[in-house]
Amino acid sequence: MSKNLRIANSKFIDQTSRISFKFDGKTLYGFKGDTLASALLANDIHLVGRSFKYHRPRGIMSCGSEEPNAIVQLGNDPSMTEPNTRATEIELYEGLEASSQNCWPSVNFDIGAVNNFFSPLIPAAFYYKTFMWPANFWKLYEYFIRKSAGLGKSPTQPDKDIYDHRYIHCDVLIVGGGISGVMAAKTAAKNNLNTVLIDDKNILGGTTLFQQNESFKINNSYSNDWLKKEIESLNSLKNLTIKTRTSLAAYHGYNYLLARENLTDHLNINEKKDKIRQRLWKIRAEKVIIATGAIERPLIFNNNDRPGIILSSSIKKYIDYYGVKCGQKISLFTNNDSAYETAISLNNSGVIVNSVVDIRDKTNSLMVKQAEKLGIKIHWKSTVVNTNGYKKINSIEIMKLSDDGVAVIGKKIKEECDCLGISGGWTPRVHLFTQSGGKLKFRDEDNVFIPDKSELNQISIGSCNGDFELDEVIKNSLNSTNKFLNVDNNDYKNLEIISSKEIDKKNIWLLPSDKPMGKTKPFLDFQNDSTANDIKLALREGFKSIEHVKRYTTTGMATDQGKLSNMHALGIIAETAGVKMGELGTTTFRPPYTPLTFGAIVGRNVGEFFDITRKTPIHDCHVEKKAEFENVGQWKRAWYYPKKNEDMHDAVQRESKAARDSAGILDASTLGKIDIQGSDASEFLNRVYTNAWSKLEIGKCRYGLMLNEDGMVYDDGVTTRLGENHYLMTTTTGGAANVLSKLEDYLQTEWPELDVYLTSVTDQYATVSICGPNSKKILSKIIPDLNLSDDEFPHMSYKNGLIDNIKCRVMRISFTGEHSYEINIQSSYGKSVWEKCFEAGKEFNITPYGTETMHLLRAEKGFIIAGQDTDGTMTPVDLQMNWIVSKKKFDFIGKRSLYRSDTIREDRKQLVGLLTDDPKEVLEEGAQIVAETNKKPIEMLGHVTSSYYSPNLKKSIALAVVKNGKKLKGQKMFVPMKNKTINVTITDTVFLDKENKRLNA
Amino acid sequence: MFLINCPYCGERDQSEFSAGGEAHIVRPKQPTELSDGQWAEFLFMRKNIKGVQLERWNHAHGCRKWFNMVRDTSNDKIHAVYKMGEKPPIK
C-alpha cells in the first residue's frame, strides 16, 4: 500500500482535507471531493465485489451511474444501511462505512467462487432449467440460492431519515449540466425563460470540465477553461435555478418528471443530523431539454471482467479529475479515438502507457497523431485475446486481427500491465427520451440508437443526441436550442473551435480469441454474469425476440438495467441471427433511471401521515372509557369497551346483554349522511332505491336498498323525509363517499333534468344511538317536552327536539331490534349529548357498546351488513329481501338486471341462518359449507358471512350464503375445519324476536 | 401524469381527476323492454381502442363535475374536453 497513486495537482480534490473511511472493516483515507470509488482506487483497491453467478472477483469499472461491479452496502445501522449503492456515485465523507456485497465469507476469499470452475455446467438460464424439477423442492432450492446470491441486505428497522416532496413548475427544464446543457441553460435564462438546470454530480461541467487537451479548444482556450467561465457566468442569471446532486429518475407524459435531490448523503453524520436527506422534485416543465451525455461502451473479449479493467474514459476522469492513477503501467484497448485522449492524459501525468491496442487498420486523426508524437506505442489491427491475473489484471495477450475481423492471426504478444482501459465507442444516454415515449432510430455508421420522434415538447442535445465531436456538440446544440426555444441568442456566435475528428470507425461486437468459444468468457452483463456465449446459446435454443433473450439470459436485468451491456447484446443477437440492428429494436428502458430510495418515493407520507384518520366528535369519550378501536375505512370506531380483565369476547357478551336487558349507547356518527333537496327529490329516491318513496310522509323514515346497475346490492341505510322536498339519507360508514359519487354521477350524466341537490353532511352531525327497553325513559329525561308515546312518535319516524336550546333531530329507528333512538346534533355538541345520555342512563346501567356488539345484535335479528353479508354478487332476492323490491315501479337502478337469466337462477347462493348442533361451537367467518364430507372433490356450497355467540339466546348463531339455501331450510350441513368437522343446520335468518315485539317494548 | 383542462376549472393535474370509462353510453329509457342481450350490451360491453377514444372523467378532487374527453390511448394525447350533454367536437 506504499504506492503513491495520487498525483499532486488535481483542481477538484482538496488535498488538504484528509478524510477517513472504512471499507470492509479496514480504515482508509481519501480527500474531500473523492467518491468512494476514487478513494478506493487511490488506495490501490480494485477488487470490490464478486460476480452474481460465478463469484468471480470484480473491480471498479466506471466512474458513474452505469457502474455494474462496485455495488456496495453503505453503513451498518439496521435502520439506515443501504444496499446496492454504486461506489462511483457515493461522495466520500468522514466516517463513511461501506462493505462488499455478494461474497461470503469475504471479498478476498469467497466460497461461491467454486462456481467459476463449474461454469461450463452453469449455462444461461441454469437456474430455470435445473430447479424446475421436482417442483415441490423449490422451497429448499430457493433458500440456498438466495443465501449464496443475495445482493445486499435490506435495513431491518424503520428508516430514521427525513424525506421530502416538492414541486417545480418551469418554462424550461434542462437535464444534464455538461457543455451543451450549460449553454442551453444560459440561452434559455437569458431569454427570460424560467429555467431549471439539474445534474446528478456535485458540480456542473460534465466531462468537458476536465478536458484539457491541445486537440480541443474554444476561442483559443482549452475547452475546460472556456466552459469554466461559462459556468461562472450562470450565477448572475436571475431566471435560472441550478440543482446539483439531483438525478432525474423518471420522465412521464405531459412533461411530468421526477428528480431526486441528494441533500445530505455527502455529509458526515454530525452534519446530516436533523436535515432532510433526499427530496423528490415533481417537475412540470413547458419544455424539456435532455442533455444527458453518453456512456462509454466496454469491449467484449475473453476474460474482460478482471479487476483493473476499467472504461478508458473513466481512467481519464480518475487521473484528470480525482488525481488518481488507476495503475502504474496501463494498457489501453479501443476501437475509436477516445482511448487516445486517455493515453495523452496519463502520459501528461507521468503514468506509463504500455500501448494502445486498436482494432482499426490505422488512422490519422489529430488526436492519434498527438499520441504518436508523445511516443505512445500502438498495436494497429489487433485485439486482446485474453487477460491474466485472478484478483487483479497482471497481463494481456495481444494478437493481430484477420482482415474480416472474425479470427486472430500471427504471433501472440504478452504485455504486462496493472490496469487495462477499454473503449468500445459511445452509447447516447437515451433512457429518459424513451421513458417519455420517444422513438429511437438506428444510425448504422457508428452503431448508435439516437432520438427520433417524440410526442412531447422536448429535444435532446449533445452526445445523448448522437453528436460526439466537440464542434458538432456545440454547433448542433446551439442550433436546436435556439430553434426549440424560438430565441436568437448572440452569446455563442462566431465561436472558434478546434476539435479532433474521428476519421475511421470500426466495430466488432464480440472480439475473436485464439481459443474456441466454449473455452472463453467474454462478459456482457457484468453484474448478472451473462456472457456473449449465453446469448448465442439462447439463440441456438430458439429464442428470437430481444425481450425473450434478455429475460432468459438475464442480460440487462441487474440493478444497472444493462447500461453497459444492452448494445452489445443487441449487436451479438443481430449478428448471429443475421438481422439489422435497427430492425431488432431495443428493450424498454423503464424508470427510475437509477434506483430510488423508498424514502424519497413516500416523502412525508409516513406514519400517521400515510392516510387520513377520521375521528368522531365523541372520540375522546371512547378513549376515556378505554375503548379498543377498529379501523372502518378511514374512521376510528370504538370496537368494544373492555372493563378490567375483560377480553374482547367477555366485553362483547356483557355489552350485548346490557343493550337488550336495559340500555346501550352507540356512537353512530360515522354513518354517511347525505342531505337531499330539490323538487324532484322523491323521484330521485324512487330511481336510486329498490322500494317506493313517493308516498313516504313527512316526518317518517324508511329503510332503502341501493343496487348497482348489475342488480347487486351496493349499499343500504335509512332515509328520513324532513320536508316536502327535503330528505336525509344515511349510508354505510365505508360506502359514504362512493354512494355520494355514484348518485352525483347519475344526476349529472343520466338525469340532468332532475332538480336535486346533494350535500354530504356526515361531518356536520354527530349521531348518538340509545337502545334497549329503558331507552325511552332515558330520552324523556334529556328532552322532557317530547311526546314519546308510540302513537305520537312511532317506530320509523322522526321529531325535532331541543337539548339545552340546541336543535336536534331524533329518529326512532333501530338496527338492533330494540326500542331505539338516534339523536343527530351539530357535531360540536356531540360530546355533550353523549355525556348527557350517560348521566341520564346511569340509573339504568346504560352501557356503551362498540361495533362488535352492534354487529352481534343485528345478527341476532338477521339484519345484513352490506359488504359483510353481501360481496357484490348478491341480489336482494338472494338476500331473501324480495319485500323491498318494488314490482310497481317502472325503473330503478339495477331493476332490469334482476330479470337476467343469471339472476333469476333458482340455485344462486342465498342468505340463510346457520345453527350449530353444539350451541357452544362458534363458526369461523369465511368457513366453507358442504353437504357431504366423504366425496372428493367436495362441492363448496357456500360460506359463513357472520358468526357470533349470542348471550341473549345463549347459543351460537351465524349467517351464511349457501347455494340454493332458500330451499334447504332445516337441512343438515357440514363445516369442515382443520381439525374437525362441525355439524350445522340451515335456518331462517332471524334468530330473535321474530314478531318484532321488542321494537315497541 | 396528464394535464387535464377541466371545462369548469381549467388546467389541473391528473391526480385531481378520476376516469369513468367510455363516454356516450346512454342508459336505456325503458330497460324492461330490452332483451337480455340488449341489456347486457349496455351493461357490460365497453370498447377499449388503441387510438382516439371518448371517455368520461370526473374532477373528483375539484369541482366534482363530470365531463367528456377525447383522448388518444396510443400516446395519451388529449384532443379535447367538453361538457356532459355536448357532442364530441372531433371524431
Side-chain angles (χ1 to χ4, degrees), chain A residues 70 264 298 489 604 772:
Chain A
T264 65
N489 188 288
R604 304 267 177 174

Side-chain angles (χ1 to χ4, degrees), chain B residues 1 18-20 24 38 41 54 81:
Chain B
M1 188 138 39
S18 62
H24 299 290
Q38 287 168 319
E41 186 67 32
L54 306 178
V81 289

Side-chain angles (χ1 to χ4, degrees), chain A residues 161 598-599 602-611:
Chain A
D161 278 319
F598 282 111
V602 298
R604 304 267 177 174
N605 304 322
V606 288
E608 59 177 313
F609 298 114
F610 182 70
D611 195 10

Side-chain angles (χ1 to χ4, degrees), chain A residues 80 159-165 261 263-265 272-280 597 599-600 602-604 606:
Chain A
M80 315 281 250
D159 194 342
K160 287 183 234 162
D161 278 319
I162 309 164
Y163 301 84
D164 196 27
H165 285 175
E261 183 179 16
L263 296 162
T264 65
D265 280 355
K272 281 184 213 279
K273 208 168 176 277
D274 297 331
K275 291 196 182 116
I276 294 163
R277 182 191 170 199
Q278 294 178 345
R279 176 172 286 148
L280 193 72
T597 56
V602 298
R604 304 267 177 174
V606 288

Side-chain angles (χ1 to χ4, degrees), chain A residues 254 284 709 745 748 896, chain B residues 1 27 36 56 66 76:
Chain A
Y254 289 77
R284 187 76 79 166
E709 204 66 273
D745 187 351
Q748 287 182 32
R896 176 61 186 82
Chain B
M1 188 138 39
R27 189 172 187 276
D36 268 13
R56 280 154 37 89
W66 283 91
D76 284 338

Side-chain angles (χ1 to χ4, degrees), chain A residues 741-753, chain B residues 8 57-58 63-67 84-85:
Chain A
S741 296
K742 181 182 149 108
L743 299 184
E744 274 289 354
D745 187 351
Y746 274 92
L747 264 185
Q748 287 182 32
T749 67
E750 299 295 349
W751 310 318
E753 73 280 5
Chain B
Y8 303 92
W57 283 76
N58 181 225
C63 64
R64 296 185 66 87
K65 284 278 195 188
W66 283 91
F67 58 92
M84 280 293 161

